[in-house]
Amino acid sequence: MLTLEEQLLFLEEHRDMFTKLLKQFQEQFGEVNKGIFIQQIDHNNFCYDSIISSIQKLQALKKLQNGK
């Protein structure tokens, strides 16, 4: 099982890779479908950022608990 730090690193890298892939598709399909890809990129970032934020909160709780 991955540690919280490893999970964060993995998710951040995967988010960046997936966003880059969507931008490449956006360029490939041009202006006609640009709005669809912008929405997908925004949704993708929202989902990843939500998960990353939750893991960061878990890390903070874990540090607080270990500090007691």
Side-chain angles (χ1 to χ4, degrees), residues 29-40:
F29 288 98
E31 289 294 317
V32 175
N33 298 308
K34 186 175 183 176
I36 294 169
F37 290 105
I38 289 172
Q39 284 181 334
Q40 186 60 44

Side-chain angles (χ1 to χ4, degrees), residues 4-17 48 51-52 55:
L4 292 176
E5 291 80 14
E6 291 169 331
Q7 290 177 36
L8 273 176
L9 182 61
F10 173 80
L11 288 169
E12 289 168 349
E13 289 176 357
H14 195 266
R15 175 190 59 195
D16 294 342
M17 287 185 338
Y48 276 104
I51 295 168
I52 288 169
I55 291 174

Side-chain angles (χ1 to χ4, degrees), residues 47-63:
C47 292
Y48 276 104
D49 289 346
S50 295
I51 295 168
I52 288 169
S53 175
S54 294
I55 291 174
Q56 289 170 335
K57 288 176 185 176
L58 283 172
Q59 279 183 314
L61 287 172
K62 186 176 177 182
K63 287 179 184 176

Side-chain angles (χ1 to χ4, degrees), residues 62-68:
K62 186 176 177 182
K63 287 179 184 176
L64 182 64
Q65 188 178 37
N66 289 340
K68 287 186 175 181

